[in-house]
Amino acid sequence: MKILFDGLGGDNSPQEIVKGAILAKNELGIEIAIIGNKEEINKILLEENAEAEVIHADEKIENDEQPAFAIKNKKNSSIVLGLKALAMDKYDAFVSAGSTGALLAGGLFIVKRIPNIKRAVIPTPIPTIKGSVCVIDSGANMDTDPELLLQFAKMGNEYVKTAFSIENPRIGLLNVGTEAGKGNELTKETFKLLANTKLNFVGNVEARDIAFDVCDVLICDGFVGNVLLKTTEGIAGFYNYLLKEKVIKNMSKEGQVEFAKNYEQIKKRLDYKEIGGATLLGLNKIVVKAHGSSNAMAIKNAAKNALDSFNGKIIENMKNCF
């Protein structure tokens, strides 16, 4: 497998992107290519005593730019050139920590959608007591309808089978109550559609129950999903602060050492860098969006996500599903 990395995407490019690509090459056994400022990338490769194919791109799409406008006008950007190379089958996947909007817009305009799929979505795992639940959509589609949410559920079903090796994923619908009649018009109509499919639909799921392993895929529109993720991140950060300031500081030295052993395992489960990135579902090729502040380890894990999607034939499975 050969993965193309966006050397201009994210807050820590190109240094951490290049280092992450090298880690992926060494640990995952893949071929790598990096697109971005050729001079800067080659300098880092030399410092790291590593080799990689380098493609020059001299434009970067910023997060505050209007995605469709940027894709149209920044034709020499790393995202546009990278997605074009992917669409031409020069690479098996594209990994970027750049603008989410630009990746989605570029994915739709350049890579194109899988036939019969209306929108691309972002699946994002949230830790639970037994593993994780995949939230779909987590920010790509702010306005949806019941038919779209049904498609999200079908895509999530195939993705979780591949990414998490779950044979018959439990599909839940994020709502304000567990009863069938709860929610707004969108969730009520979506409930009816999901209930009449062969999917393993477990019904409505309240936000407070998500962490307790009630489903494997959680369906919602991108607005609600993104609010859910940001709230989860904020609460995790708050409890991390409380543990450090109110608990660990008041422990004995021996207690701190013992607590630290378990604390590191907890931190690891909540760390986005361990997940790396999310495969944008619904596109004709594998595009993985990494966190904007990704370091080398996160980029390597984003490549692992791409590799798993490639080996699991996620694109073929999606096509067969629709």
Side-chain angles (χ1 to χ4, degrees), residues 158-175:
E158 294 302 319
Y159 177 68
V160 169
K161 282 182 184 179
T162 299
F164 301 104
S165 301
I166 299 173
E167 187 174 338
N168 190 26
R170 297 164 297 166
I171 312 295
L173 178 64
L174 185 59
N175 211 330

Side-chain angles (χ1 to χ4, degrees), residues 191-245:
F191 186 100
K192 293 175 185 176
L193 291 179
L194 289 171
N196 287 312
T197 67
K198 293 181 180 179
L199 295 171
N200 184 13
F201 180 51
V202 296
N204 290 327
V205 172
E206 291 192 61
R208 65 184 177 189
D209 297 324
I210 293 170
F212 297 98
D213 190 46
V214 294
C215 62
D216 303 302
V217 179
L218 186 66
I219 303 302
C220 56
D221 63 60
F223 182 89
V224 172
N226 199 262
V227 171
L228 172 66
L229 289 182
K230 298 292 174 58
T231 303
T232 303
E233 288 175 1
I235 292 172
F238 173 63
Y239 275 103
N240 186 46
Y241 166 80
L242 287 181
L243 282 171
K244 285 182 177 179
E245 298 298 318

Side-chain angles (χ1 to χ4, degrees), residues 7-239:
L8 288 176
D11 304 331
N12 301 314
S13 62
Q15 189 82 17
E16 294 299 311
I17 309 300
V18 176
K19 287 183 176 180
I22 295 168
L23 278 176
K25 179 181 179 180
N26 294 337
E27 295 185 22
L28 304 177
I30 60 170
E31 294 183 56
I32 63 172
I34 306 165
I35 185 167
N37 185 299
K38 199 166 188 176
E39 185 178 341
E40 291 181 2
I41 292 169
N42 281 328
K43 181 181 177 182
I44 299 167
L45 287 170
L46 185 63
E47 292 170 353
E48 298 294 321
N49 192 28
E51 294 182 355
E53 177 189 353
V54 180
I55 304 166
H56 184 69
D58 51 22
E59 288 183 302
K60 177 180 179 179
I61 296 178
E62 304 292 346
N63 287 325
D64 58 355
E65 294 185 72
Q66 205 283 326
F69 183 83
I71 291 295
K72 183 179 178 180
N73 290 277
K74 287 192 169 181
K75 299 187 184 300
N76 292 317
S77 65
S78 57
I79 287 180
V80 170
L81 293 177
L83 290 173
K84 283 184 176 179
L86 181 68
M88 294 169 65
D89 291 328
K90 293 183 178 180
Y91 307 96
D92 298 304
F94 182 54
V95 172
S96 175
S99 163
T100 303
L103 272 178
L104 283 163
L108 293 172
F109 295 147
I110 300 168
V111 173
K112 308 296 183 183
R113 291 169 295 170
I114 291 171
N116 299 319
I117 290 181
K118 295 180 179 179
R119 303 273 185 89
V121 296
I122 304 174
T124 304
I126 290 180
T128 68
I129 56 173
K130 289 188 178 180
S132 62
V133 57
C134 194
V135 178
I136 300 177
D137 182 23
S138 60
N141 302 279
M142 298 299 166
D143 297 297
T144 63
D145 58 40
E147 290 289 343
L148 275 177
L149 291 187
L150 175 60
Q151 282 206 344
F152 296 175
K154 290 180 178 179
M155 285 193 278
N157 186 62
E158 294 302 319
Y159 177 68
V160 169
K161 282 182 184 179
T162 299
F164 301 104
S165 301
I166 299 173
E167 187 174 338
N168 190 26
R170 297 164 297 166
I171 312 295
L173 178 64
L174 185 59
N175 211 330
V176 295
T178 58
E179 299 87 350
K182 281 293 183 73
N184 54 21
E185 288 305 311
L186 175 63
T187 56
K188 288 176 184 177
E189 290 303 312
T190 303
F191 186 100
K192 293 175 185 176
L193 291 179
L194 289 171
N196 287 312
T197 67
K198 293 181 180 179
L199 295 171
N200 184 13
F201 180 51
V202 296
N204 290 327
V205 172
E206 291 192 61
R208 65 184 177 189
D209 297 324
I210 293 170
F212 297 98
D213 190 46
V214 294
C215 62
D216 303 302
V217 179
L218 186 66
I219 303 302
C220 56
D221 63 60
F223 182 89
V224 172
N226 199 262
V227 171
L228 172 66
L229 289 182
K230 298 292 174 58
T231 303
T232 303
E233 288 175 1
I235 292 172
F238 173 63
Y239 275 103

